[in-house]
Amino acid sequence: MFHTIHYITDSGKYKEADLSVRTYGASSDIPMKGIFQYSTTVNFTEEKMPGAGDTVIVGMSGGVDSTLTALLLKEKGCRVIGVTMSLWKGDLPDLPDGQKLHSSCYGPDETEDIAECQSFCSAQDIEYHVIDVKDQYQKQVLDYFKSEYRAGRTPNPCIRCNSFVKFGALLEGVLKQGIAYDYFCTGHYAKIVRPAEGLWHTAARPAMIAGALDRSKDQTYFLYRIPSGTLEKVRFPLAGIEKKDVFRMAHEARLKAAERPESQDFIPPEYFDALFSDKESVPGDIIDLDGHVLGRHRGIEHYTVGQRRGLGVAANRPLYVHSIDAQNNLVVLSDNDELNSPSLIADDFVWPGNIVPDEPFDALVKIRLASRPVKARVEPYVPGENESFNGQPYKITFEESQRAVAPGQSAVLYRDGVIAGGGIISSVSA
């Protein structure tokens, strides 16, 4: 069974105060709820939300978050234009009769999503368009997803989709249709801010991503690779509303979207095997850290670091996937304690405004969506003789060792609740 990559497509009354410009940071009185706080001397100003008369594109999925976002903006006096990405190519087989699909981003239920969006927009007199991004999604998300697993890495298709498709190809498609807009809004739980002073001893003050009021629904991890230039026109109107109030407001407005199940997976788990059926899996050995053969695997693309279930190995204690050796087609197992790593090396970094830090620094780091941000030191890494990286690599040393650090996932850096940068995990240290 494949590891499931989660994508939550999901801030009480919609008050004007929620859309005002606010300043916060290390010396601010505004609570940051702690979990992303790492004190610096930088203050940030929250960018203003769309106002009456602004033309606003709203990315709609048919879910409660994007639907309420569109409604709130319309009630505010904006000219709202709804857009939905068309992704589904119909290239995966039908499921057996009676088997129900999990709600997902990529699947045949796209037609239902579009119908829901069309119905809502028609009832609200909102202009609506479907933008075909199938080819870009295939290349940037589906093909990437498969190639990463086959290389022994754990992909994050939601991060990839946001940077290349939802905030990339979708907006390009909007412009190709001749639609001009002032803002692009989605139902993500995040906010756009700007530093009061230039970053890293420069004059650059780019648009940056910060956490929303409802930290339990934080989606900043998925958004970190969106370029600052794109963020200039991006706003997240649910930034100051908690999820429970989103549902309350949607029910009060009698929105059908309030009754729909939340999308959790980027593709239905029922389709995982079919997605990988374009190439035959190559079985190989499952070994322990000492090289002893414990069993056989059915193809490294079926495994991910930290996995315990579905290993097909009999043992007198729980064993977990410690690492995957793609070059030698090996899956390596270990005890749980052996999964802890004091540091990692990451590459392919993105920085707000492309301003690269000019010195080592401390930050809070998330190594997966569900992980707790932890204190760490971030510093440039000097590659060894046989090491190759995508751009300048960085070493991230944790204050506390982290469990199941997975190459292919993202290490996202936060300072004062604001994303300071991030990269793709390349390797871990024992």
Side-chain angles (χ1 to χ4, degrees):
M1 176 149 179
F2 287 98
H3 174 67
T4 300
I5 301 296
H6 295 294
Y7 176 65
I8 309 172
T9 57
D10 313 312
S11 279
K13 196 73 177 177
Y14 190 73
K15 303 175 183 177
E16 287 299 318
D18 292 328
L19 298 186
S20 63
V21 175
R22 290 181 281 183
T23 300
Y24 61 93
S27 60
S28 173
D29 293 329
I30 295 178
M32 298 296 292
K33 293 204 174 180
I35 65 170
F36 288 104
Q37 190 70 25
Y38 201 100
S39 182
T40 72
T41 58
V42 178
N43 290 320
F44 296 87
T45 300
E46 183 174 345
E47 294 289 273
K48 73 180 184 70
M49 289 288 182
D54 287 330
T55 298
V56 184
I57 301 292
V58 177
M60 302 188 65
S61 65
V64 65
D65 296 313
S66 60
T67 303
L68 185 66
T69 294
L71 180 63
L72 294 176
L73 289 167
K74 182 176 184 295
E75 291 179 347
K76 192 172 176 61
C78 299
R79 179 198 171 207
V80 176
I81 301 174
V83 298
T84 298
M85 302 186 296
S86 178
L87 310 174
W88 177 243
K89 284 189 170 184
D91 53 348
L92 297 177
D94 293 333
L95 295 176
D97 290 341
Q99 186 171 356
K100 184 175 177 60
L101 283 174
H102 288 68
S103 180
S104 62
C105 299
Y106 186 75
D109 55 353
E110 178 184 282
T111 55
E112 299 175 21
D113 297 336
I114 291 175
E116 291 288 348
C117 292
Q118 287 176 323
S119 176
F120 166 79
C121 288
S122 177
Q124 295 295 328
D125 195 25
I126 291 175
E127 183 179 335
Y128 179 70
H129 300 268
V130 177
I131 308 297
D132 189 333
V133 293
K134 296 182 181 69
D135 291 341
Q136 297 94 327
Y137 192 82
Q138 177 73 49
K139 176 182 177 181
Q140 299 293 350
V141 181
L142 297 177
D143 291 349
Y144 148 85
F145 183 78
K146 293 186 289 185
S147 66
E148 284 289 276
Y149 262 126
R150 285 168 172 156
R153 292 156 60 90
T154 303
N156 197 311
C158 304
I159 290 175
R160 187 86 173 184
C161 178
N162 280 328
S163 59
F164 284 101
V165 185
K166 186 173 294 182
F167 293 84
L170 173 61
L171 295 181
E172 291 172 3
V174 166
L175 293 176
K176 286 180 180 178
Q177 293 201 15
I179 303 172
Y181 61 93
D182 299 303
Y183 295 98
F184 175 55
C185 293
T186 70
H188 287 94
Y189 289 85
K191 70 175 68 166
I192 303 298
V193 300
R194 193 178 302 277
E197 299 178 358
L199 296 180
W200 302 111
H201 309 105
T202 72
R205 299 174 54 242
M208 300 171 69
I209 297 174
L213 174 66
D214 193 339
R215 299 294 183 173
S216 68
K217 292 297 180 180
D218 180 75
Q219 292 174 300
T220 57
Y221 181 86
F222 287 140
L223 303 171
Y224 86 98
R225 296 193 75 87
I226 301 172
S228 292
T230 300
L231 295 178
E232 292 291 341
K233 285 192 172 185
V234 170
R235 298 293 185 268
F236 303 114
L238 302 188
I241 310 176
E242 294 190 342
K243 182 70 177 194
K244 61 182 177 62
D245 292 313
V246 166
F247 274 119
R248 175 181 59 77
M249 296 163 72
H251 281 294
E252 289 175 355
R254 299 185 177 182
L255 297 181
K256 188 176 179 181
E259 308 298 334
R260 301 193 73 197
E262 302 252 82
S263 176
Q264 291 285 324
D265 300 309
F266 106 96
I267 188 171
E270 297 87 353
Y271 277 142
F272 279 14
D273 283 339
L275 182 65
F276 283 84
S277 63
D278 58 329
K279 290 184 181 180
E280 188 174 347
S281 295
V282 181
D285 287 335
I286 298 177
I287 65 173
D288 62 18
L289 291 174
D290 294 322
H292 300 127
V293 176
L294 304 177
R296 296 281 289 175
H297 67 73
R298 63 190 187 102
I300 61 173
E301 67 269 25
H302 297 269
Y303 304 84
T304 189
V305 172
Q307 180 179 335
R308 176 184 174 186
R309 300 183 184 278
L311 301 180
V313 170
N316 59 5
R317 66 192 189 282
L319 292 176
Y320 303 81
V321 175
H322 173 276
S323 54
I324 298 172
D325 182 347
Q327 183 174 352
N328 296 300
N329 196 31
L330 299 171
V331 174
V332 184
L333 306 187
S334 74
D335 294 327
N336 187 54
D337 290 345
E338 298 291 342
L339 296 178
N340 294 327
S341 301
S343 63
L344 63 82
I345 307 299
D347 63 359
D348 196 13
F349 268 80
V350 293
W351 305 102
N354 295 321
I355 306 301
V356 179
D358 56 1
E359 59 189 4
F361 62 96
D362 296 322
L364 293 181
V365 180
K366 289 191 72 168
I367 58 169
R368 62 179 66 88
L369 174 66
S371 70
R372 176 176 60 90
V374 294
K375 293 181 180 180
R377 184 69 170 171
V378 182
E379 54 192 340
Y381 175 74
V382 179
E385 184 177 344
N386 297 317
E387 292 182 307
S388 177
F389 295 96
N390 183 0
Q392 170 65 55
Y394 285 78
K395 182 177 183 179
I396 299 175
T397 304
F398 305 111
E399 188 174 273
E400 304 172 10
S401 291
Q402 295 300 292
R403 180 186 181 278
V405 180
Q409 288 282 285
S410 289
V412 181
L413 318 176
Y414 295 83
R415 305 181 86 195
D416 285 318
V418 179
I419 291 180
I424 309 299
I425 299 171
S426 176
S427 61
V428 301
S429 58

